[in-house]
Each structure stands twice: as C-alpha cells, then as structure tokens.
Amino acid sequence: MDHARAAISNLFSGEPTSYTRFSIARQMDGDNSHVEMNLAADEEEGGEIGRPEHLHASMPPPRRNGKNLCFIIIAAVLLLLIGFLIGYLSYRGRMQRVNRCLDGSGNCEMTPTASYFSDDGTEEEEVPGLRILYWPQLRNMLSANLSAATLETYLRQREGKNSFEAGKTEDEQAASYIHEQFIRFRLDDVWNDEHYVRLQERGSSKNQVIVIEDREEVLESPDAFVAYSKSDTVTGKPVYVNYGRKEDFQKIRNMGVPMNGTIIIFRAGKITLAEKVANARKEEAVGALMFLDPSTDKKADLCVPFGHAHLGTGDPYTPGFPSFNHTQFPPVESSGLPHIPVQTISKEAAAKLFGKMDEADCLPSWTYGIMGCKVTVSSNSKMRVKLTVNNVMVDRKILNIFGVIKGFEEPDRYVVLGAQRDSWGPGAAKAGVGTAILLELARVISDIVKNGGYKPRRSIIFASWSAGEYGAVGATEWLEGYSTTLHAKAFTYINLDTAVLGYRDVKISASPLLYSLLEATMKRVKDPTDNSQYLSRRVGSDWIKKVVPLDLDNAAFPFLAYSGIPVVSFGFYDEGDEYSFLGTTEDTLANLKEKTNMLYPLMRTAAEVAGHIALKLTHDHELLLDFERYSDELLSFQEKLWHFDSHVKALGLTLNWLYFARGDFQRAADALRRDITNSDRENRIVRRALNDRMMKVEYDFLSPYLSPKDAPFRHIFFGKGSHTLQSLLESLEQLRLNKTSVDVNKLKEQLALATWTIKGAANALVGDIWNTDNEI
C-alpha cells in the first residue's frame, strides 16, 4: 500500500520515470467481479520491491507536463469503464445460468472442473474446453445405453451352478469375474476388501425334525439349515403362532396357551426369521420351526428355505468391530444370537405336523392356505416334536469387490451402488439380478464418462458384497471398518438386491431424504409393462404411504440404521403372491422367468431408476437430499403423541420438551433452506459447506448417547431398540392400557433420548454453534 501511495504521488507530481499498470482480474470467490488497478514504479520491472523515499530528495525536480497527465487520466477512466463492463457481463451470464437452475427448466449445466483443491490447498480455476452436459442429455444417454440383452448375459453367468456359498470356490470365482469386468470397463480404480468372519454351515449329519407319539417318526431331514442356530437336540409340544409377530404371540397368550418349553412353529413372511426367533425366545420356547408361506405354485410345497437367526447384521462374533483379524478381539458375541435350535421345514412337512395336532382351531386369519390348521396339542396328548440341529462354525475369508469412477470436483464425496453376490442356492433372484444390474450400470456409466464427455462432480462406487445370506455380513464389516469416515463421505447407498421378484407392483424402501429425488425419477422412467406411461402413474400420488420399512435382511439397513447414510431400495414384486423360491435351492433362472415373462425389461427399468438417482446426485451443484421431509416425519410423530398427553401428565411428566425439540428442527430446516436459496450456487466452497450440512442430517438421527457396540442400530426412526421413536410409542401405548405395567424410569430415559437426539439434529442442521436455538 505504501508503494502504491508513493507511485500515485509521483504520478501527479509529473514523475517521468513512473508508469501505471492496470490488471483486470475476475474475482472467482463470489459474484462481484471487479477491476483491480496496480500502480508500480519502473524499478519493479527489474525486480526491486520499491525505492526508498529519501532517494527522491536527491533527484532534480521533474518538468511538469499537463498534457501527458490528461492523457493518462483519460486512459485510466477508459480502462475502468472496460473493466466494469466485463465484470457486469460476466455476472449477468452467471446469474442467468443460476436462474435456469431455479426455474425447473432442467438446464442446470454441469461445468467440468479440476479437482476441488490444488496440491497447495488453493482453489483451482475451472478447466476450459471440456464438453458441458445438461441433465436431460445425460439422462437420455443413460437410457439409450442400458441394454436388456447385456443384462441377460450377466445373469446367465450363474447358470449351471447350484450354490454360491460365501467364501467358497463358486463365490470366489464370481468375485474374480466381477473384478475382471470392472477392469474391462476402465473404472478409475478397482480393489477388494478381505474380511475373516465366523460363519455356520451344515454339519456332517443332516438336521432332523422328529414327531414322537408311540414311537419316533422322522418328519423331515432337510438339506437347508438356519445359520447361527444353536446346535442341540430339544423336545417340546408344538405351538403354531402364525407369522411369529408380537401381536401373534399376544393372541396365543390371550388363548391361555403356555409357550414355556415348547417348540414354536411359524410361517415365513411379514418380519424376518431372526425377529420371529427372538420373539419365541422371549416366551422361553426351546426351539423354533419355520415353513414357507403358502403359494399358488405347488412346486414350492416341497421347498425348504435357508436363512439366518442372528438378530442383527455383520459377523455376530465381532459385534461393532470389523472382522479383519479375529485374533485382535476378545471372545465376545452379539446379543442377537438366538441360543435355541432353529430349523426350516417344507410346507408339506408342516401340513403333516398340523395333522397330528388336536387342540384349538387356528384363528380364521391364520388359516390361509393351511389345511387342518391347529394351534397346539391337548394337555393329555403325548405327541411331542424333537428337533436336532448339527450346524458347525467355520472361519472363512470373504471378499468384497469395489470399483470407482472418481469425481472431477469432489472425489471425496460418493454415492455407493451395491449388490449381494453370494447365495446358498443358484440365487437367480436373490443375488443374480442385483449383480447383473451392478455390472450393467458400471459398464454404462463408465462409458458415458470415458466416451460421452460426462464429468461427474462426485464419485460413484460400485460394490459387490459377500456373505449377504448371513445378514449383510460383507456390507456391515465394510461399514464397521471405515465407520469414522464413511458417514462423512458417502451420501447415498443404492441397493440393487432382489430388484425383480414379480411384475405387478413396485416395492420401495427409502430414507425420507430421497423421497423427492425418487419421485422425480419415477416421473421420467417409463413403465416396462406399458411403455406409453411412466412409473409415477403406476405407484400413484400417495406412494410414500406404501414405502416398506427396511428390515434386517436388506443390505441397505446397516447403511441407514448403523452408519446414518441415506438409502434407497427399488424393485418389482407381486403383492399377495410372493416369489416362493427366494432363498431356496429352486431359485433358478427358469423359475424366475416363469414368475414373470418380462424379466429383462424389468431389470433394465430397475437399473435405469438406480442409474438416474446416482447420476443426478453426481451431476447437480446441490445435493438433492430433501432434509425438510424429516420435519414432516417429526410432525407426524408428534401428532401420534397427543393422545398420550394426559397419561404422561399423570406420572408428573410432560411431552412439551419433545415438542420444543421438534420445533427447533423445523426452524433449523427453514434456516438451511434460506441459506441455500440466498447462496451463490457457483461458489464451490459455499456449496460444499451447504451440501455437507445436508449430508449430516441422516447421521444426526443416530442417537449419540448409545454405544455402537451395544446398540449398533442407533437411528431413532429406523433403528432397533428402546431408543427408537417406535419403541417410545409402544411404551406410551402400554401406559395407556395398564399404568402399573410400565417402568417409569425407562419411560423417562426414552423421552430424554428422543428429545436430545432431535435437539442435537436441529443444532447440527443450523451449522455454526452461535446460530443454534438454545431455547430448550
């Protein structure tokens, strides 16, 4: 600044040895471009910083020249005007592009950029000369390149093989094939992740179900088994409990049927096998049997499904820790292990068993497809069921395979697409469909990037998981291994498993953050059963009411409930007429094609939905995560609480603090929306900060007051445990029915956990600590 003042003083003194240098510089940090004027002495050209002021005193007085001064002033004014015009035109052009983004025209352009920061930490300039792809162009490129024929080729890779059991030869060969394909697709990086896990497999002798009357009669000795069942022999009276839900067990209690020491029988469906077994264990049953829900396909009557009984995900012998090396961990096991023998049987075997039971006809709603349904045996009956399970534990190495297309602007932010690779049987629907879609999306998106000119802002990771049959073991171990970073970098998981189980209905499971993007996607993807219509017409305007909650058997569940990463799972099925062979040795390509003759068009549509979501999340400046949806979810929850106000007040408690926390979240969401609306969307630093605030919304609903080891699924909306909002509602309902049956201290804890988790989410959404609402 001192040098500038000296130069200006010399200029107006007529100093002949000085000159004026103008630099027109565009300010990249914001919208206000400006003209910068630098004044420098001649000596700066020679490398000197400036000349000491005392040297001017020894120089002879310069000759004044007014004419030269006028020319200099006129030149300066002209250059200032030119700079102003350049800045104005630049600003106007950028604002027009932003307005096109805001008016919904779909012309938000993706400006190709270099990496977000240069090596020295300074922001880099945009890379000129690269092709700009508008969203409609990119969407059309995806649709044009997806191929049903290629999907068929990938799916037929599983033909002729009877099993792809995790960690065994067939599974490893499939992993190698996927690894090779990722390399052939020219993904930016391809790697695998090894985990050493404890799995269970059938023993040297088959498991048996025996009926004891006057003598022992073998009811069935199936090849299928239930992983993580206790290996033991038990005997007890049979008791049928429909689907094995809590309400089903309550109806049995209402009948006065004792369940202590019995073997519980239930049919598949509604909830997971692990949840059914956990409910049976609470009633002190000694064993459990499950058969397939009756189907219109008579071939399924002889099928026995595989399954697992671990009430959780991941390796149950390293709960909360990644299974990189068992020797690193103390001997510990998950609290979700059943500790009772569990076995699956065929529907035909179940019918024989019902024929030997003689006490209490089943409730009318329990008898669908079951001839001669009975609840149990009479008190004077000698009939018993003997269950023998011989499963053995094994240590096995499993491989997760990954490929990545790196983002050009924010490579450290990524969307993950994943599919289970292993299956106990051929696994056409269970693992084949999802794996084929994964490979096709990797091929097509890589081609769009390498040859089509698309430069995604953020990275896209493709993941093939192993040991999914045992409860998303591969996916969970990966999440546990990188739990400190994934929630801050992975902003969406798209699950591709079991994407086609029928054709009539659409099955959607998703985080509320992705509802708006999913709805917009379905308005642009054609219905494969009627190419003149879009998927949005099939699902209807009230499709959100039909969203299916994620269960433990969905690989997306640990991403959402354990890691706090938004998820979406999309597929086709036939409501009320499920695909009967899922999880059996008859899950073949032939049976799946018999279920629907539109298998490959349906697969292509599921791939288009998943690809549309992935590309949209990596294309736009703003992450399309609709955080305001959680305001609606919290309001809906609050409305359910109003019915319990008087009952809570009778205990000397109040729900007001919970209501205040919900209000805080609403105000925080409104504030973030204002920040986004008022921000410069082309300022990458501001945009990244706002996107990060949106990314953290899901994670902030993981209760921070619980240990991930003891309560891994900490999400208060979608988790498992007494900390969830659903569990709080159940406790309040119990309070309404029977005040004395409620543990008041536990209820206080539930209210505190819910209140402060919501309050914490509101504080995080606001951003800076000085902007938080401390009213509570």
Side-chain angles (χ1 to χ4, degrees):
M1 184 62 72
D2 290 336
H3 298 312
R5 281 197 295 268
I8 292 172
S9 176
N10 291 337
L11 171 66
F12 287 97
S13 298
E15 175 62 55
T17 58
S18 299
Y19 71 95
T20 305
R21 179 192 302 141
F22 290 88
S23 173
I24 300 173
R26 180 181 176 185
Q27 183 74 308
M28 297 305 294
D29 292 335
D31 285 338
N32 299 322
S33 300
H34 68 273
V35 176
E36 179 181 321
M37 181 175 72
N38 294 327
L39 302 174
D42 284 336
E43 285 77 5
E44 290 178 343
E45 291 287 330
E48 294 180 13
I49 301 302
R51 186 169 51 183
E53 292 183 3
H54 69 272
L55 294 181
H56 289 283
S58 61
M59 294 179 62
R63 186 174 50 142
R64 299 184 180 274
N65 190 332
K67 187 175 181 180
N68 290 341
L69 180 60
C70 288
F71 282 127
I72 292 172
I73 292 173
I74 291 171
V77 171
L78 286 174
L79 287 173
L80 283 170
L81 287 173
I82 292 170
F84 173 81
L85 288 172
I86 291 172
Y88 171 77
L89 292 174
S90 173
Y91 173 80
R92 180 183 174 188
R94 285 191 294 168
M95 288 308 296
Q96 286 175 341
R97 291 197 299 272
V98 172
N99 290 334
R100 286 199 297 270
C101 287
L102 295 175
D103 66 10
S105 64
N107 290 328
C108 300
E109 62 184 45
M110 202 305 266
T111 305
T113 59
S115 60
Y116 189 71
F117 289 107
S118 62
D119 292 338
D120 62 4
T122 60
E123 190 178 359
E124 290 189 351
E125 297 287 334
E126 292 181 349
V127 178
L130 293 178
R131 180 184 176 190
I132 294 174
L133 282 178
Y134 297 100
W135 171 242
Q137 294 174 289
L138 182 59
R139 185 182 65 223
N140 292 337
M141 288 176 69
L142 171 70
S143 181
N145 282 279
L146 288 171
S147 167
T150 309
L151 285 164
E152 179 178 2
T153 300
Y154 294 141
L155 183 54
R156 288 190 178 278
Q157 289 292 321
R158 301 179 78 89
E159 279 193 307
K161 297 179 181 177
N162 296 324
S163 173
F164 292 82
E165 195 168 335
K168 289 193 173 181
T169 302
E170 293 82 1
D171 178 45
E172 290 186 348
Q173 288 174 346
S176 296
Y177 173 75
I178 293 168
H179 192 280
E180 291 167 3
Q181 293 302 305
F182 283 172
I183 292 174
R184 190 170 70 85
F185 299 153
R186 296 189 297 158
L187 300 187
D188 293 329
D189 202 356
V190 179
W191 73 100
N192 63 352
D193 215 27
E194 293 183 357
H195 294 278
Y196 296 85
V197 297
R198 295 201 75 189
L199 306 177
Q200 200 176 56
E201 61 181 22
R202 67 173 65 86
S204 55
S205 57
K206 289 185 177 182
N207 299 340
Q208 282 190 328
V209 181
I210 297 172
V211 174
I212 303 175
E213 291 180 301
D214 296 330
R215 59 186 181 83
E216 291 189 358
E217 176 188 351
V218 176
L219 183 68
E220 196 163 52
S221 296
D223 290 324
F225 66 97
V226 175
Y228 303 123
S229 164
K230 180 180 180 181
S231 294
D232 199 0
T233 297
V234 295
T235 303
K237 285 185 176 183
V239 177
Y240 174 58
V241 196
N242 198 25
Y243 287 108
R245 299 167 297 184
K246 290 180 180 179
E247 55 266 37
D248 295 327
F249 279 97
Q250 182 60 50
K251 289 175 181 177
I252 293 293
R253 285 193 293 270
N254 294 342
M255 292 181 186
V257 177
M259 289 177 279
N260 180 31
T262 63
I263 291 180
I264 299 295
I265 307 167
F266 34 64
R267 52 179 166 171
K270 306 299 183 184
I271 59 175
T272 65
L273 171 56
E275 291 171 298
K276 299 173 191 286
V277 173
N279 291 337
R281 187 184 172 198
K282 288 178 182 176
E283 301 297 331
E284 298 183 358
V286 296
L289 297 172
M290 186 186 78
F291 62 94
L292 285 175
D293 205 13
S295 166
T296 55
D297 193 330
K298 296 303 178 184
K299 290 188 299 182
D301 289 354
L302 297 176
C303 289
V304 182
F306 290 83
H308 76 89
H310 175 217
L311 190 66
T313 63
D315 184 351
Y317 295 94
T318 58
F321 301 100
S323 296
F324 288 122
N325 189 335
H326 277 295
T327 61
Q328 302 291 318
F329 302 105
V332 63
E333 63 180 39
S334 167
S335 60
L337 288 172
H339 297 293
I340 61 173
V342 185
Q343 179 58 46
T344 49
I345 58 176
S346 66
K347 182 193 168 187
E348 184 178 75
K352 290 180 182 178
L353 191 53
F354 283 126
K356 297 178 180 293
M357 296 162 63
D358 60 358
E359 181 74 12
D361 290 337
C362 294
L363 297 172
S365 60
W366 291 15
T367 60
Y368 172 74
I370 302 174
M371 297 297 294
C373 180
K374 298 290 184 179
V375 171
T376 186
V377 295
S378 59
S379 57
N380 57 0
S381 173
K382 296 181 180 179
M383 185 269 199
R384 298 290 184 273
V385 173
K386 180 180 178 182
L387 171 61
T388 299
V389 174
N390 299 309
N391 299 348
V392 295
M393 299 301 302
V394 293
D395 291 317
R396 198 172 289 164
K397 182 182 76 172
I398 61 171
L399 296 174
N400 293 327
I401 308 300
F402 300 94
V404 64
I405 296 173
K406 295 180 180 178
F408 284 73
E409 184 175 321
E410 296 181 273
D412 60 339
R413 299 289 185 269
Y414 30 82
V415 56
V416 183
L417 297 99
Q420 171 184 326
R421 184 181 68 249
D422 67 299
S423 60
W424 276 305
K430 191 69 177 285
V433 167
T435 298
I437 293 174
L438 179 75
L439 288 170
E440 177 65 351
L441 285 172
R443 180 189 70 83
V444 170
I445 296 176
S446 179
D447 183 66
I448 291 174
V449 173
K450 304 299 182 185
N451 303 316
Y454 175 49
K455 306 300 177 185
R457 295 182 185 278
R458 305 169 191 96
S459 299
I460 303 173
I461 292 178
F462 303 91
S464 173
W465 312 115
S466 185
E469 294 280 43
Y470 291 84
V473 172
T476 302
E477 296 307 313
W478 185 65
L479 290 170
E480 289 176 344
Y482 305 97
S483 60
T484 57
T485 58
L486 279 178
H487 73 271
K489 296 187 175 185
F491 52 83
T492 294
Y493 177 70
I494 302 172
N495 184 42
L496 306 175
D497 292 333
T498 59
V500 180
L501 298 174
Y503 68 95
R504 290 198 301 264
D505 302 290
V506 175
K507 186 175 184 179
I508 298 170
S509 299
S511 160
L513 290 176
L514 293 167
Y515 284 173
S516 295
L517 176 54
L518 187 55
E519 185 169 32
T521 298
M522 291 189 291
K523 289 179 179 178
R524 289 293 184 180
V525 176
K526 292 290 184 69
D527 185 341
T529 62
D530 183 357
N531 203 44
S532 65
Q533 303 293 337
Y534 291 96
L535 285 173
S536 55
R537 178 166 180 174
R538 184 199 281 216
V539 300
S541 58
D542 61 344
W543 66 272
I544 293 177
K545 297 178 182 178
K546 303 173 187 176
V547 169
V548 179
L550 289 167
D551 60 42
L552 288 165
D553 288 342
N554 192 314
F557 180 80
F559 278 85
L560 179 62
Y562 174 78
S563 293
I565 297 170
V567 302
V568 60
S569 184
F570 176 94
F572 297 94
Y573 77 124
D574 296 335
E575 187 173 6
D577 184 19
E578 303 287 346
Y579 176 64
S580 303
F581 304 109
L582 193 68
T584 73
T585 55
E586 296 303 314
D587 182 13
T588 62
L589 180 57
N591 281 330
L592 183 58
K593 292 178 70 175
E594 189 175 314
K595 179 66 174 174
T596 171
N597 59 3
M598 298 188 62
L599 174 60
Y600 302 116
L602 289 164
M603 288 174 63
R604 187 197 170 283
T605 300
E608 187 171 358
V609 170
H612 190 293
I613 293 171
L615 289 177
K616 188 66 172 172
L617 288 168
T618 59
H619 174 276
D620 287 9
H621 294 77
E622 179 185 330
L623 278 179
L624 298 181
L625 300 177
D626 191 358
F627 54 89
E628 291 163 307
R629 288 281 185 178
Y630 267 118
S631 294
D632 299 335
E633 296 291 324
L634 286 170
L635 182 59
S636 176
F637 170 68
Q638 179 174 312
E639 290 171 352
K640 295 175 184 177
L641 293 178
W642 289 340
H643 308 293
F644 305 109
D645 266 340
S646 59
H647 302 283
V648 172
K649 287 179 181 177
L651 295 176
L653 302 175
T654 180
L655 297 174
N656 287 343
W657 298 116
L658 197 51
Y659 299 158
F660 293 155
R662 187 210 65 80
D664 289 344
F665 187 88
Q666 176 71 63
R667 287 186 290 275
D670 292 342
L672 178 54
R673 178 53 62 194
R674 285 194 301 271
D675 288 347
I676 293 171
T677 301
N678 297 330
S679 68
D680 172 13
R681 298 193 180 197
E682 300 225 0
N683 185 316
R684 285 181 287 173
I685 294 176
V686 171
R687 187 174 68 238
R688 181 178 170 100
L690 291 171
N691 284 340
D692 284 353
R693 283 166 66 183
M694 286 188 280
M695 280 176 58
K696 283 189 86 278
V697 170
E698 201 77 75
Y699 180 78
D700 290 328
F701 281 115
L702 302 185
S703 179
Y705 308 103
L706 302 172
S707 164
K709 176 180 176 295
D710 300 326
F713 308 122
R714 297 176 292 145
H715 203 295
I716 62 173
F717 282 96
F718 303 106
K720 300 288 183 182
S722 61
H723 63 284
T724 63
L725 300 184
Q726 180 59 39
S727 180
L728 174 58
L729 286 174
E730 291 173 1
S731 296
L732 292 172
E733 179 63 23
Q734 189 64 31
L735 174 66
R736 185 183 67 83
L737 296 173
N738 185 0
K739 178 179 177 181
T740 59
S741 66
V742 174
D743 184 337
V744 177
N745 288 329
K746 179 183 176 182
L747 180 60
K748 287 181 179 179
E749 181 179 285
Q750 287 180 302
L751 287 170
L753 287 174
T755 300
W756 286 105
T757 301
I758 295 170
K759 175 64 178 175
N763 289 343
L765 194 61
V766 167
D768 295 314
I769 191 67
W770 50 85
N771 291 326
T772 57
D773 184 348
N774 295 311
E775 191 176 311
I776 204 166

